[in-house]
Amino acid sequence: MELLLIPFLFALVSLVVPSNFVRQFSLLGGIVSLIVTIGHLCSFDTNTFVSILDPSFITSFGLTCKMGYDGMSLFMVLLTNVITFLIILSNYNRDLASNRSFTALVFFMQLGLLGVFTSFDGLLFYIFWEITLIPVFLIALWYGGSDRKQALIKFFIYTFIGSLAMLLSLMAIKSYAKSFSHSDLMAVELTAKSAFWIFGGFFLAFAIKIPLFPFHTWQPNTYTTSPMAGTMLLSALMLKMALYGMIRWLIPLAPEALSDVTYPVVVLGIIGVVYAGILAIKQNDIKRLFAFASISHVGLIAAGAILYSHDNWSAVFIQMANHSLVAVGLFLSADIIEQRLGSRKLSDLGGIAKQAPRFAIMFGALVLAAISVPFSSGFIGEFMLLKGVYSYNWLIGFVAGTTLIVGAVYTLRAYQLSMYGAPKSTPFADLTWNEWLAYLIIMVTIVVFGVYPQAIIDFLSPSIDSLIESVKTINTLHK
Amino acid sequence: MDALIVIFLSGLLSLFVAFAKKPILVLLTACAGLITAAILLMNQWNNPYSLFDYKGLEFTHTSISYSLIAILFAFLAILAGFKSFKEQPDHVGDYIGLFLFSLTGALCMVSFTDLFMFFLGLEIMSIPIYVLAGTAKKDVRSSEAALKYFLTGSFATGILLFGIAWVYGATGTFDVNELASVINMEDTHSSLLYVGVLLILSSFLFKVGAAPFHFWSPDVYSGSPSVVTGFMAAVVKLGAFGAFIKLFTVCFPALHDFWSPALVILAILTMFVGNLSALSQTTFKRLLAYSSITHVGYALLTILTQSPESESNLIFYLFSYGFSVIALITIAMIINDEQDRLEAFKGLAKRNPILGFVAVLALLSLAGVPPLVGFFGKYLVFSTAISEYPTLVIIAIINSGIGIYYYLKTVITVVSKDELPESNAKLSVTGIQWFVLAVCSFGLLFGGFFVSCI
């Protein structure tokens, strides 16, 4: 329970702390959450399910408020807290960091995310899912760049409509079940037709949030106009809710529909990989480029999530962690460039490597991680995912494989155009300590998991196995 | 019954107390009456004994819930409007008295067992509102609202009376329970009954403001003084819906196949008309009026679904709706813009962060964003209806999607930081208004926990 209470308390208190103490306070909040999570991690046995809230009553309409974590959930909780800490850390020397309402919103966001990852009740999941929308919307609205209003209205309405579709599916599946608890909803036996529609409702919500092609049109504008922290929250954490939701809710609840929908979902994911990759090559705005890169990467993860097998799901989790870390790093780099030079346009940049060698090294290392070179966690994740897609259908696998090439093209192009060549700009201040530290944590984590991914795989294995096992038994029972 | 008498007497008393020329005394009288009535009703929950009894009125658990909620909202509305009453010190007693009389009518409407009592309740509830709608005497729009409401309202009442007469002609009784048993016994019904039901249905749809009987409501809502608008949206609607669901789930369920197709089409029409018209509104109270039409469309779902929960769902829905309306109306009164434009809300969060916060809560609750109370209200209505009317629920969900556009736009107007407020004059909020806003925000934030109580 303290996992959720800590961000909540920090959010409330940060509204009243003196404004010259806000940034230290927010950093403290990030560290405390992280330490508590590590405490939970140490006492966690991977085979078990730990309940953090299990009231004995069920409300008249079936809300059970069950919360807890198994390996997968705890992994996501850890990811959330690490990333939130990194976001606070990388924001530390910005003006925003001493803004009270901004700090409170970040902690509220963290609360919502933790709720999403620890809910084992369908309606509670939905409630937390919606709660996360408000803080990130306000962060982007209050502290974002120019022309944000149209982009944000589009973003909010898009995701809200997706959520409504999910609510519809939840209500439909609840009409067969006795409560909203995860196990009760999973036990529901659906006909292929109703499973298809229920799957559709959930899928729409998740596809919009991820975003999958062709539901991605809100994403580049929203990412570009949001402030750095908002973009990081959106890309590093918010879309992980949808990927996690696919694994925890979509597939276990409506496995009956899988035989019909796997193919289209995989195809949509791979179209996104190629399409967004090609668009990324043509971008001039470096933040927009990373936004398209993000669409390209998550398309592959979504395809891996729908092709459910033990290996694919392990790869999905590795890749989620990797994508979060890389996204934080890349958007931090984009923001550093924008903050120091006042422009994100690749055509205005050049020669930064000469002026800021430390930044160039860190950014370069991140770029290598982003294109999944061996010894980075992205290599393992992408390799396993591609292998999964390839064994599903070799042609799709082949097309998906071009991501490695296209990804290298757009990322290296961005790096080359901004870092090399003749300096085009005024002096470029090198990294401050907090940026340096954030990069260091990201790189160390990426390399550690690149060298020893088995740690994640072993940690997740029992919970993935038990979820897949129950999906399979339900499927065979019903046939 | 005791509660009814107490409310009526406190209304009467406040007319006389007003001679003392001390507005606060009138307010205290009214509050004392309302609180006593609420205590009496709560007492009656477990203990059906009451001092006065009349067989035309029956206080069951359902009608007590309706009554308590109506009393709560009337209480909040009167408190919220007190500042504007004081501006005309000669009439404070009239205003408050009329509100209490109207509330008396609303209580009759949710607890009748006799069509005659029902008709009487409707009139007692409506006539004070006709007067109240025109109380801003210097404002032409207020007179227009009063006249419009009176003419169309009395026409609808006539139709209702006509319908009751036809039903009486077909069945020979006014009593609700007898009516139900007579209708349930017969296999084939006389055509008199069908005509009667249709007439009653149309007058109901008029009273709650469902399309295509909604044309009066935007004009009346925007013309009336704000506090009257709030009272109409929260209390009058509650009374009308209470009577509506009682009549159609107790008396006419046997005719469900007859009236439900009409209601399905009208519910769809109501949602779309309300939402699509709301999209382009520029004044606040018209926006509220159209959004309330949409909410009526959602609430009609409960009347269509003949399940045991639909009554409590409707109560909760109206409960959740009232808090938003009263909070927004109070804020509109604090901003006090002559033309009632939406732009007057610009930068509200900057001028007064707490007011901005409450406004955002109320708007998001209307839009149905969890964990606010509006979400639970909507959820209950939709989830009960989904097994019987899946298409209708899908349409309602689509409408919620359309609705988010104008709520969100208003939210952005309130919270946006780069649109400067038009005037930087400090907003003066009285202690009473803070109290109303506090109660409303409590209801909006934690109302969801009361789901299981109702």
Short mmCIF file of all heavy atoms in Angstrom, two decimals, chain B residues 15 32 72 90 108 111 122 129 136 160 168 236 239 243 268 278 288-289 293 313 320 354 358 365 373 376 404 422:
data_model
loop_
_atom_site.label_atom_id
_atom_site.label_comp_id
_atom_site.label_asym_id
_atom_site.label_seq_id
_atom_site.Cartn_x
_atom_site.Cartn_y
_atom_site.Cartn_z
N LEU B 15 -41.90 33.53 4.73
CA LEU B 15 -42.58 34.70 4.17
C LEU B 15 -42.84 35.74 5.25
O LEU B 15 -42.71 36.93 5.03
CB LEU B 15 -43.92 34.28 3.55
CG LEU B 15 -43.87 33.48 2.26
CD1 LEU B 15 -45.27 33.14 1.80
CD2 LEU B 15 -43.18 34.30 1.18
N ALA B 32 -33.40 25.67 8.95
CA ALA B 32 -33.92 24.88 10.07
C ALA B 32 -35.01 23.94 9.58
O ALA B 32 -35.04 22.75 9.93
CB ALA B 32 -34.46 25.80 11.15
N LEU B 72 -31.32 18.04 -0.04
CA LEU B 72 -29.91 18.44 -0.04
C LEU B 72 -29.65 19.47 -1.14
O LEU B 72 -29.04 20.52 -0.89
CB LEU B 72 -29.03 17.21 -0.25
CG LEU B 72 -27.56 17.49 -0.48
CD1 LEU B 72 -26.93 18.02 0.78
CD2 LEU B 72 -26.83 16.23 -0.93
N ASP B 90 -36.16 43.35 -0.05
CA ASP B 90 -37.62 43.27 0.17
C ASP B 90 -38.18 41.91 -0.21
O ASP B 90 -39.27 41.54 0.18
CB ASP B 90 -38.33 44.34 -0.66
CG ASP B 90 -38.02 45.72 -0.14
OD1 ASP B 90 -37.51 45.78 1.00
OD2 ASP B 90 -38.26 46.69 -0.86
N CYS B 108 -43.86 15.62 -3.13
CA CYS B 108 -45.11 14.93 -3.48
C CYS B 108 -44.90 14.07 -4.70
O CYS B 108 -45.41 12.95 -4.80
CB CYS B 108 -46.21 15.93 -3.80
SG CYS B 108 -46.79 16.82 -2.39
N SER B 111 -43.31 10.71 -4.08
CA SER B 111 -43.87 9.80 -3.08
C SER B 111 -45.36 9.51 -3.28
O SER B 111 -45.98 8.94 -2.41
CB SER B 111 -43.64 10.37 -1.69
OG SER B 111 -44.18 11.65 -1.61
N LEU B 122 -47.05 17.98 -9.14
CA LEU B 122 -46.44 18.60 -10.32
C LEU B 122 -46.75 20.09 -10.37
O LEU B 122 -45.88 20.92 -10.64
CB LEU B 122 -46.96 17.90 -11.57
CG LEU B 122 -46.36 18.38 -12.87
CD1 LEU B 122 -44.90 18.04 -12.92
CD2 LEU B 122 -47.07 17.76 -14.05
N ILE B 129 -41.83 27.83 -9.72
CA ILE B 129 -40.70 27.99 -10.65
C ILE B 129 -41.06 28.97 -11.77
O ILE B 129 -40.23 29.75 -12.22
CB ILE B 129 -40.27 26.63 -11.23
CG1 ILE B 129 -39.80 25.72 -10.11
CG2 ILE B 129 -39.17 26.79 -12.26
CD1 ILE B 129 -38.54 26.16 -9.47
N ALA B 136 -35.86 38.18 -12.14
CA ALA B 136 -34.95 39.28 -12.51
C ALA B 136 -35.77 40.26 -13.34
O ALA B 136 -35.75 40.23 -14.57
CB ALA B 136 -33.76 38.76 -13.29
N LEU B 160 -50.98 16.28 -19.65
CA LEU B 160 -50.86 15.26 -18.62
C LEU B 160 -52.21 14.95 -18.01
O LEU B 160 -52.60 13.79 -17.85
CB LEU B 160 -49.90 15.76 -17.53
CG LEU B 160 -49.78 14.84 -16.34
CD1 LEU B 160 -49.02 13.60 -16.73
CD2 LEU B 160 -49.09 15.53 -15.19
N TYR B 168 -57.79 6.89 -16.52
CA TYR B 168 -58.89 6.64 -15.59
C TYR B 168 -60.07 6.04 -16.34
O TYR B 168 -60.71 5.10 -15.87
CB TYR B 168 -59.30 7.95 -14.91
CG TYR B 168 -60.41 7.77 -13.91
CD1 TYR B 168 -60.17 7.14 -12.70
CD2 TYR B 168 -61.70 8.20 -14.20
CE1 TYR B 168 -61.19 6.95 -11.79
CE2 TYR B 168 -62.72 8.02 -13.29
CZ TYR B 168 -62.46 7.38 -12.08
OH TYR B 168 -63.46 7.19 -11.19
N VAL B 236 -35.92 20.11 -9.76
CA VAL B 236 -37.13 19.89 -10.55
C VAL B 236 -36.99 18.64 -11.41
O VAL B 236 -37.89 17.81 -11.51
CB VAL B 236 -37.43 21.13 -11.42
CG1 VAL B 236 -38.58 20.88 -12.34
CG2 VAL B 236 -37.71 22.32 -10.54
N GLY B 239 -37.48 15.60 -9.29
CA GLY B 239 -38.88 15.30 -9.02
C GLY B 239 -39.55 14.69 -10.23
O GLY B 239 -40.25 13.67 -10.12
N ALA B 243 -41.11 10.78 -10.48
CA ALA B 243 -42.47 10.41 -10.82
C ALA B 243 -42.51 9.56 -12.09
O ALA B 243 -43.25 8.58 -12.18
CB ALA B 243 -43.29 11.66 -11.02
N ILE B 268 -32.32 8.35 -28.02
CA ILE B 268 -31.22 8.56 -28.97
C ILE B 268 -31.24 10.00 -29.48
O ILE B 268 -30.23 10.70 -29.50
CB ILE B 268 -31.34 7.57 -30.15
CG1 ILE B 268 -31.16 6.16 -29.65
CG2 ILE B 268 -30.31 7.89 -31.22
CD1 ILE B 268 -31.42 5.10 -30.70
N ALA B 278 -24.77 21.53 -28.08
CA ALA B 278 -23.87 22.08 -27.08
C ALA B 278 -22.51 22.43 -27.68
O ALA B 278 -21.82 23.31 -27.18
CB ALA B 278 -23.69 21.09 -25.94
N LEU B 288 -24.93 24.62 -20.39
CA LEU B 288 -25.41 23.76 -19.32
C LEU B 288 -26.76 23.16 -19.69
O LEU B 288 -27.03 21.97 -19.43
CB LEU B 288 -25.54 24.60 -18.05
CG LEU B 288 -25.53 23.84 -16.74
CD1 LEU B 288 -24.22 23.13 -16.58
CD2 LEU B 288 -25.76 24.79 -15.60
N ALA B 289 -27.62 23.97 -20.33
CA ALA B 289 -28.94 23.48 -20.70
C ALA B 289 -28.82 22.34 -21.70
O ALA B 289 -29.46 21.29 -21.54
CB ALA B 289 -29.76 24.62 -21.30
N ILE B 293 -29.70 18.33 -21.39
CA ILE B 293 -30.57 17.55 -22.29
C ILE B 293 -29.91 16.20 -22.57
O ILE B 293 -30.54 15.15 -22.53
CB ILE B 293 -30.83 18.33 -23.59
CG1 ILE B 293 -31.69 19.56 -23.28
CG2 ILE B 293 -31.53 17.46 -24.61
CD1 ILE B 293 -31.90 20.47 -24.45
N ASN B 313 -30.28 3.15 -9.67
CA ASN B 313 -29.34 3.74 -10.60
C ASN B 313 -29.74 5.17 -10.95
O ASN B 313 -28.91 6.06 -11.02
CB ASN B 313 -29.27 2.94 -11.89
CG ASN B 313 -28.57 1.64 -11.70
OD1 ASN B 313 -27.99 1.41 -10.65
ND2 ASN B 313 -28.62 0.79 -12.69
N SER B 320 -25.50 12.31 -8.68
CA SER B 320 -24.18 12.69 -9.18
C SER B 320 -24.27 13.93 -10.05
O SER B 320 -23.38 14.76 -10.06
CB SER B 320 -23.56 11.55 -9.97
OG SER B 320 -24.28 11.31 -11.13
N ILE B 354 -8.70 27.81 -6.27
CA ILE B 354 -9.64 26.85 -5.69
C ILE B 354 -10.92 26.80 -6.51
O ILE B 354 -11.46 25.73 -6.81
CB ILE B 354 -9.93 27.20 -4.22
CG1 ILE B 354 -8.61 27.22 -3.46
CG2 ILE B 354 -10.88 26.21 -3.60
CD1 ILE B 354 -8.72 27.61 -2.04
N VAL B 358 -12.52 23.52 -8.43
CA VAL B 358 -13.88 23.00 -8.31
C VAL B 358 -14.57 22.96 -9.67
O VAL B 358 -15.25 21.99 -10.01
CB VAL B 358 -14.70 23.84 -7.31
CG1 VAL B 358 -16.10 23.30 -7.20
CG2 VAL B 358 -14.04 23.86 -5.96
N SER B 365 -16.58 15.72 -14.02
CA SER B 365 -17.57 14.78 -13.52
C SER B 365 -18.75 14.70 -14.49
O SER B 365 -19.28 13.61 -14.75
CB SER B 365 -18.04 15.21 -12.14
OG SER B 365 -19.18 14.52 -11.77
N VAL B 373 -17.69 11.40 -9.24
CA VAL B 373 -18.97 10.75 -9.01
C VAL B 373 -19.75 10.57 -10.32
O VAL B 373 -20.46 9.59 -10.50
CB VAL B 373 -19.78 11.52 -7.94
CG1 VAL B 373 -20.17 12.89 -8.42
CG2 VAL B 373 -20.98 10.76 -7.52
N PHE B 376 -19.33 7.21 -11.91
CA PHE B 376 -20.06 6.08 -11.33
C PHE B 376 -21.54 6.13 -11.72
O PHE B 376 -22.15 5.10 -11.99
CB PHE B 376 -19.90 6.07 -9.81
CG PHE B 376 -18.53 5.68 -9.38
CD1 PHE B 376 -17.60 6.64 -9.06
CD2 PHE B 376 -18.16 4.36 -9.36
CE1 PHE B 376 -16.32 6.28 -8.68
CE2 PHE B 376 -16.88 4.00 -8.98
CZ PHE B 376 -15.96 4.95 -8.65
N ILE B 404 -17.18 15.01 -24.55
CA ILE B 404 -15.90 15.40 -23.96
C ILE B 404 -15.35 16.63 -24.65
O ILE B 404 -14.65 17.42 -24.03
CB ILE B 404 -14.91 14.22 -24.01
CG1 ILE B 404 -13.64 14.51 -23.23
CG2 ILE B 404 -14.51 13.89 -25.43
CD1 ILE B 404 -13.84 14.55 -21.78
N GLU B 422 -10.14 38.36 -18.31
CA GLU B 422 -10.55 39.65 -18.86
C GLU B 422 -10.43 40.77 -17.85
O GLU B 422 -10.06 41.88 -18.19
CB GLU B 422 -11.99 39.55 -19.36
CG GLU B 422 -12.07 38.67 -20.59
CD GLU B 422 -13.47 38.54 -21.09
OE1 GLU B 422 -14.39 38.66 -20.27
OE2 GLU B 422 -13.64 38.30 -22.28
#
